[in-house]
Amino acid sequence: MYAPSHYSITDQEQLLSFIKEFPFAVFMLKEDEFPLATHIPMEVVMEGDKLFLYGHISNMNPQASFIGKNGVKALAVFSAGHTYVSSSWYSHPNVSTWNYRAVHVTGNLMELSLDEFKAHLYRM
């Protein structure tokens, strides 16, 4: 995602707060020829200095075939609020744009043990 530095937020607390407020994400994996995406609620948990996102999908979902494989990279996109910004709103020449809020989280896909999965479902 392109984000000019003057619009980027790097404060971890602000980013975690955003994910907690808007936990419904687009969860993406890359298949050989085409990306796969599923819309799911996710839970964010900090354990020490590591961030974990927990979510679950149906066994019938094509993404389920990736679970248990090592080294699978995943992307979760959390977003909320967006609006068009007309160039006429500027007092100087500029181009129209779209104003939005989003957090992209990338990491490695991991399979939970049955006990971890049950605990996740209970928390959700």
Side-chain angles (χ1 to χ4, degrees):
M1 170 177 77
Y2 170 69
S5 60
H6 56 282
Y7 292 125
S8 293
I9 295 173
T10 58
D11 179 71
Q12 189 170 7
E13 289 303 315
Q14 280 186 285
L15 298 171
L16 291 174
S17 177
F18 183 90
I19 293 170
K20 288 176 182 177
E21 185 176 354
F22 305 102
F24 198 70
V26 180
F27 172 66
M28 291 176 261
L29 300 172
K30 184 181 175 294
E31 195 176 37
D32 290 335
E33 296 180 24
F34 198 77
L36 300 172
T38 302
H39 299 259
I40 60 172
M42 299 191 89
E43 172 191 28
V44 62
V45 175
M46 284 299 298
E47 293 180 13
D49 63 344
K50 292 188 177 186
L51 173 106
F52 293 89
L53 290 177
Y54 292 91
H56 60 277
I57 57 175
S58 164
N59 286 337
M60 300 302 292
N61 187 316
Q63 289 179 321
S65 67
F66 288 84
I67 295 173
K69 295 181 179 177
N70 291 331
V72 176
K73 299 284 185 191
L75 169 65
V77 177
F78 301 86
S79 64
H82 58 87
T83 189
Y84 175 72
V85 179
S86 171
S87 61
S88 67
W89 296 357
Y90 297 100
S91 60
H92 53 78
N94 211 324
V95 296
S96 299
T97 189
W98 204 266
N99 197 10
Y100 61 93
R101 297 185 301 158
V103 173
H104 289 203
V105 180
T106 58
N108 295 315
L109 186 63
M110 295 172 34
E111 184 174 11
L112 299 177
S113 70
L114 183 57
D115 287 341
E116 290 170 323
F117 178 65
K118 287 179 181 179
H120 158 68
L121 287 179
Y122 180 75
R123 288 189 308 264
M124 291 290 283

